[in-house]
């Protein structure tokens, strides 16, 4: 067995090639782009024949900008992200085990390299299937709307109402500097969150009596349960993870990103500990 950098790069290339060739990855990407496109067309139709001063800016038409596309963005953040993140590749270890190729692989590279490289690609798969469609959605908005509308109105809401929304979002200073960087930050935030959810699903696959459906379902239920309990125990601060992924009004008053950061780091390191424990076991 070899644990060299050369083997690390080769295993990463091998796992990435398998990711991009999987039908699950292709299906999830198609569904994500379809959802984004249908939502965009639906809200675009509402703007037909609207005068210029009533049009929102392109950044305001982004999916997770709750002021404009509220319910569609909430469905994406609360339900679709965990499914999109886990379906493409989090079950790949179980597929290798079922196909009997694991022993063949670890005779050519170190077992730790194999499992951690797979973990890196699992994280990447979760990140890309969420980040790329969200970026695509913003690019669609550029095709239809002005970069900045004259009055920053949103569907006939008065200017002061829009200003109240803009001044109370989380990271309002970044928003005031450049709202598109603000949207990009949220795209990256959603992508990282999806990557960690995928990693959690991957670590679940190491437990006994797991199958490819359970690793997706359990991660999905865990995400739903966290958001449900988070809503129940929330008072002045929200503990629902999905609330941190959407640009919400008054989010600067109800969100505490220290909680979000600690929770994501905790999930990340728990997943790493499980993967490391699996590396130390004799059997695969």
């Amino acid at each position: 067995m070899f644990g060299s950098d050369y083997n690390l790069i080769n295993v990463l290339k091998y796992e990435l090639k398998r990711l991009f060739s999987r039908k699950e990855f292709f299906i999830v990407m198609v569904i994500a782009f379809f959802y984004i496109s249908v939502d965009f067309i639906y809200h675009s139709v509402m703007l037909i024949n609207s005068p210029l001063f009533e049009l929102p800016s392109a950044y305001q038409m982004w999916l997770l900008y709750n002021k404009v596309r509220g319910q569609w963005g909430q469905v994406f953040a609360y339900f679709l992200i965990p499914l999109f993140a886990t379906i493409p590749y989090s079950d790949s270890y179980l597929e290798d085990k079922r196909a009997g190729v694991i022993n063949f692989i670890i005779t050519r590279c170190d077992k730790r390299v194999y499992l951690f490289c797979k973990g890196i690609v699992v994280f990447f798969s979760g990140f890309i299937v969420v980040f790329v469609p969200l970026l695509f959605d913003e690019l669609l908005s550029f095709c239809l709307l002005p970069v900045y509308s004259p009055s920053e109105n949103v569907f006939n809401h008065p200017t002061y109402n829009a200003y109240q929304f803009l001044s109370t979002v989380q990271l309002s200073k970044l928003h005031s500097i450049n709202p598109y960087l603000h949207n990009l930050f949220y795209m990256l935030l959603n992508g990282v969150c999806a990557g960690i959810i995928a990693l959690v699903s991957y670590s679940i696959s190491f437990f006994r009596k797991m199958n490819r459906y359970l690793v997706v379902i359990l991660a999905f239920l865990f995400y739903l349960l966290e958001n449900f309990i988070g809503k129940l125990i929330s008072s002045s601060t929200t503990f629902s993870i999905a609330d941190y992924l959407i640009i919400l009004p008054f989010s600067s008053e109800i969100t505490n990103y220290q909680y979000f950061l600690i929770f994501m780091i905790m999930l990340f390191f728990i997943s790493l500990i499980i993967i490391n424990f699996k590396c130390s076991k004799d059997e695969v």
Side-chain angles (χ1 to χ4, degrees), residues 221-232:
L221 290 178
F222 170 77
Y223 183 84
L224 290 186
L225 187 63
E226 192 286 329
N227 282 292
F228 177 73
I229 295 175
K231 288 287 188 183
L232 288 180

Side-chain angles (χ1 to χ4, degrees), residues 59-245:
Y59 73 86
Q60 293 173 311
M61 270 288 281
W62 185 54
L63 177 66
L64 298 182
Y65 202 91
N66 197 60
K67 186 71 174 179
V68 179
R69 293 160 72 176
Q71 292 183 345
W72 290 75
Q74 289 174 15
V75 169
F76 186 88
Y78 280 91
F79 300 103
L80 297 183
I81 283 179
L83 291 175
F84 288 170
T86 55
I87 290 175
Y89 208 59
S90 62
D91 67 330
S92 60
Y93 168 76
L94 291 176
E95 282 294 286
D96 287 352
K97 188 175 182 180
R98 183 186 64 83
V101 301
I102 291 182
N103 291 331
F104 175 79
I105 293 174
I106 65 173
T107 57
R108 287 156 176 78
C109 77
D110 185 73
K111 177 182 172 183
R112 185 179 299 272
V113 171
Y114 162 69
L115 291 177
F116 273 98
C117 283
K118 187 176 285 291
I120 292 171
V121 176
V122 167
F123 177 89
F124 175 75
S125 69
F127 178 89
I128 196 172
V129 296
V130 169
F131 176 79
V132 172
L134 289 177
L135 180 61
F136 172 73
D137 183 60
E138 186 64 80
L139 296 177
L140 284 178
S141 299
F142 278 122
C143 298
L144 179 69
L145 296 165
V147 177
Y148 296 104
S149 66
S151 60
E152 294 290 306
N153 283 347
V154 181
F155 293 130
N156 295 321
H157 288 287
T159 303
Y160 67 81
N161 182 278
Y163 175 76
Q164 185 182 43
F165 175 85
L166 301 178
S167 61
T168 58
V169 297
Q170 188 60 254
L171 304 174
S172 57
K173 290 184 178 179
L174 176 61
H175 192 289
S176 63
I177 294 172
N178 191 316
Y180 293 98
L181 289 179
H182 189 256
N183 282 5
L184 179 61
F185 170 81
Y186 272 87
M187 293 177 207
L188 293 170
L189 192 69
N190 276 266
V192 170
C193 180
I196 291 176
I197 294 169
L199 205 57
V200 169
S201 183
Y202 171 59
S203 64
I204 291 174
S205 71
F206 296 140
F207 292 99
R208 292 185 177 183
K209 298 183 179 179
M210 284 292 123
N211 60 54
R212 60 182 307 185
Y213 302 106
L214 273 178
V215 298
V216 172
I217 293 170
L218 290 177
F220 177 69
L221 290 178
F222 170 77
Y223 183 84
L224 290 186
L225 187 63
E226 192 286 329
N227 282 292
F228 177 73
I229 295 175
K231 288 287 188 183
L232 288 180
I233 66 175
S234 297
S235 54
S236 58
T237 301
T238 180
F239 294 100
S240 172
I241 289 299
D243 286 342
Y244 292 84
L245 305 177

